[in-house]
Amino acid sequence: MGSPPHFYRFAGRWLPWLTGIFAIFLIVGLYGGLVMAPPDYQQGESYRIIFVHVPAAWMSMFIYMVMASCGIIVLVWRMKMAEIVLISSAPVGASFTFLALVTGSLWGKPMWGTYWVWDARLTSELILLFLYLGVLGLYGAIDDKRVAGRAVAILAIVGMVNIPIIHYSVDWWNSLHQTASLTKFEKPSMPPSMYVPILIMALAFKIYFVLALFQRVRAELLYRERNSRWVEELVQS
Amino acid sequence: MKRLSLSQAFWFLLRRDLLLGFRNRSELANPLLFFVLVITLFPLAVGAEPNLLARISPGIIWVAALLASMLSLDAIFRSDFEDGTLEQMLLSAHPVPVLVLAKVTAHWLVTGLPLLMVAPMLAMMLGLDESAYGILLLTILLGTPVLSLIGSIGVALTIGLRKGGIILSLLVLPLYVPVLIFAASAVDVSSVGLDAGAQIKMLMAFLFLALSLSPVATAAALRMSMS
């Protein structure tokens, strides 16, 4: 898997399969969530955004962990593929974080009566988005992409150490500052007809991440290896 | 030539950087001036109503301290990077994290510590309750070294870039959030007469964590930047 031409072909073979599996999971998950699941007894239909919101929020944290793990591999073993996976994950992770923020704020409108509250989860999600943008910004700013790969590896690991600290600080800050009128949304224990679609959607998003990652990695590989023989052969064939 | 022991190297580097800092007075004065200026802007922007200012003064002082500390970060490694001293430091026989710690300590003594001296005056001008002065100074004493330590990682990552300034703030500011939360909150609760012990202990924990981990990350980042 470490060799670029091998990974390029491997990812290429898997792409159509992944796309198919993703489509099936997405359709089943959305149908289960938007049609089959019963409306919530308190929130009515508006709760249905959780079928996108919750999996997106999970993905935003999961992808950062993928990045930090790649960062450790980059620093310890100097693997070129890990660098590429790291930086190709960042835009996908940032998008999921953004999606979680947008859906959260859309959900906040009927729930809290406003698009944005300085809720602990929203705030730490926003800071997570800034961390992603920092990784992307640093990678873009360094011209030598080998150096840039190692720089973002260090940054991803530093971010990983800080994420729990930031998360708990924001939690604590929030419990101190939040006004009493604003009751945090307590998750009721859900019936299976609600949580099964969430799990299916989470799987669909995971597969989408792999799908998007493979495509980005392939593009990045072609760019980085543009002077190598295998790319030349690929272009000519 | 006699070889320096590790502690000698540490003190030597610290003294050298302090000397350089004091010879170059503007470097010493600029963060301080910036700190005062930013705080002056707030009453002009939100109005000079004493109750309001007193209420938000912990936050104002801490945001200003954070910005002043961030803007002075670049000086930690900049001149050494440009004249090649940094490269020699990395090639020396001593562990780089210890040398990094010496440089960050010197930088904090030159740019962070002076904030302590003007903070009470600014707190008085903003009408912060007098009972909170002690805690304010304590938070600055504990918090600004953490800012310098975290910031040194960001500087080390961006030192090779010609326009590293804006990207540096993008990297560093999200990591400053916990310090800001606990420091401002400590001042805030002590200004209404409550005990700020928990927040101070958290700041101490941050300081020790940053002291032990960030020089390692900074050293790795410097190696990366010099390669």
Side-chain angles (χ1 to χ4, degrees):
Chain A
M1 291 297 275
S3 100
H6 182 246
F7 189 92
Y8 184 87
R9 278 193 297 272
F10 169 84
R13 266 201 307 277
W14 272 90
L15 274 179
W17 293 98
L18 285 170
T19 314
I21 301 169
F22 166 65
I24 293 169
F25 273 91
L26 187 73
I27 291 165
V28 171
L30 282 179
Y31 185 78
L34 300 184
V35 182
M36 305 256 287
D40 188 71
Y41 74 101
Q42 266 183 327
Q43 303 179 44
E45 303 290 346
S46 66
Y47 90 98
R48 288 187 196 277
I49 203 159
I50 60 168
F51 296 111
V52 178
H53 174 72
V54 173
W58 284 344
M59 288 307 290
S60 67
M61 282 174 270
F62 173 75
I63 294 176
Y64 205 95
M65 294 217 303
V66 171
M67 280 169 53
S69 318
C70 287
I72 293 170
I73 296 173
V74 169
L75 291 186
V76 177
W77 290 290
R78 301 277 163 92
M79 241 178 90
K80 210 194 285 180
M81 277 311 298
E83 267 171 39
I84 296 173
V85 170
L86 198 169
I87 198 58
S88 307
S89 305
V92 189
S95 316
F96 273 119
T97 315
F98 186 70
L99 184 65
L101 277 170
V102 169
T103 51
S105 107
L106 286 177
W107 192 16
K109 187 64 182 167
M111 281 302 298
W112 295 322
T114 158
Y115 284 113
W116 184 265
V117 289
W118 290 96
D119 167 75
R121 287 188 202 169
L122 283 176
T123 311
S124 44
E125 196 73 12
L126 184 65
I127 295 169
L128 183 63
L129 181 63
F130 293 146
L131 288 176
Y132 273 117
L133 296 181
V135 167
L136 286 169
L138 183 64
Y139 187 77
I142 302 177
D143 291 330
D144 181 347
K145 292 307 173 199
R146 280 315 299 268
V147 177
R150 285 173 58 203
V152 292
I154 296 172
L155 185 64
I157 296 169
V158 171
M160 194 70 227
V161 174
N162 271 284
I163 281 177
I165 301 177
I166 294 174
H167 183 79
Y168 285 109
S169 309
V170 171
D171 253 5
W172 180 88
W173 158 79
N174 188 252
S175 62
L176 204 79
H177 281 247
Q178 208 169 43
T179 49
S181 66
L182 204 108
T183 48
K184 217 189 235 173
F185 170 63
E186 296 279 329
K187 260 201 196 117
S189 54
M190 283 188 216
S193 59
M194 283 187 191
Y195 72 68
V196 169
I198 291 188
L199 292 180
I200 295 174
M201 284 300 285
L203 266 175
F205 278 16
K206 283 232 162 57
I207 297 163
Y208 174 77
F209 166 56
V210 178
L211 188 69
L213 182 68
F214 275 11
Q215 278 171 326
R216 283 181 178 278
V217 168
R218 272 162 64 97
E220 182 78 20
L221 278 176
L222 286 183
Y223 177 72
R224 283 204 186 193
E225 307 265 311
R226 59 192 179 278
N227 294 324
S228 72
R229 180 175 283 261
W230 69 272
V231 177
E232 195 184 332
E233 282 166 3
L234 197 83
V235 174
Q236 276 165 0
S237 63
Chain B
M1 208 175 85
K2 196 163 69 79
R3 276 195 56 183
L4 289 170
S5 76
L6 185 56
S7 58
Q8 274 174 322
F10 181 89
W11 290 113
F12 180 76
L13 198 56
L14 184 66
R15 264 187 34 214
R16 168 186 170 274
D17 272 26
L18 283 179
L19 196 64
L20 283 172
F22 284 107
R23 291 278 158 79
N24 189 358
R25 298 281 160 75
S26 69
E27 202 176 305
L28 194 73
N30 286 348
L32 210 59
L33 264 176
F34 178 83
F35 182 56
V36 177
L37 264 171
V38 168
I39 287 183
T40 315
L41 294 180
F42 274 91
L44 298 176
V46 302
E49 206 237 310
N51 283 335
L52 176 69
L53 282 180
R55 174 70 197 81
I56 62 176
S57 58
I60 296 177
I61 294 174
W62 255 97
V63 169
L66 198 138
L67 292 176
S69 153
M70 192 194 73
L71 284 176
S72 66
L73 283 176
D74 200 49
I76 303 183
F77 298 121
R78 174 61 63 195
S79 66
D80 284 357
F81 175 76
E82 277 165 0
D83 65 12
T85 317
L86 198 60
E87 208 161 0
Q88 297 305 315
M89 246 177 66
L90 294 184
L91 291 172
S92 80
H94 299 294
V96 180
V98 179
L99 303 181
V100 165
L101 195 58
K103 285 194 74 65
V104 175
T105 311
H107 176 261
W108 176 73
L109 287 172
V110 172
T111 61
L113 201 59
L115 300 186
L116 262 182
M117 293 183 268
V118 290
M121 185 188 75
L122 293 165
M124 183 269 293
M125 286 162 73
L126 290 172
L128 180 71
D129 195 83
E130 274 168 33
S131 59
Y133 282 16
I135 294 291
L136 174 67
L137 293 182
L138 195 57
T139 57
I140 291 178
L141 191 66
L142 293 171
T144 49
V146 183
L147 302 183
S148 294
L149 285 162
I150 297 175
S152 73
I153 306 173
V155 181
L157 284 171
T158 54
I159 191 83
L161 305 176
R162 254 167 288 120
K163 285 177 186 161
I166 190 84
I167 188 86
L168 174 65
S169 51
L170 196 61
L171 302 185
V172 160
L173 282 180
L175 304 178
Y176 279 180
V177 166
V179 176
L180 179 70
I181 288 177
F182 283 96
S185 157
V187 183
D188 202 28
V189 297
S190 66
S191 73
V192 293
L194 295 172
D195 178 39
Q199 286 90 326
I200 296 297
K201 280 171 196 143
M202 284 305 289
L203 284 175
M204 281 180 184
F206 291 156
L207 179 57
F208 289 122
L209 197 67
L211 268 176
S212 51
L213 293 184
S214 81
V216 182
T218 307
L222 281 176
R223 286 224 176 77
M224 180 279 305
S225 283
M226 303 301 284
S227 62

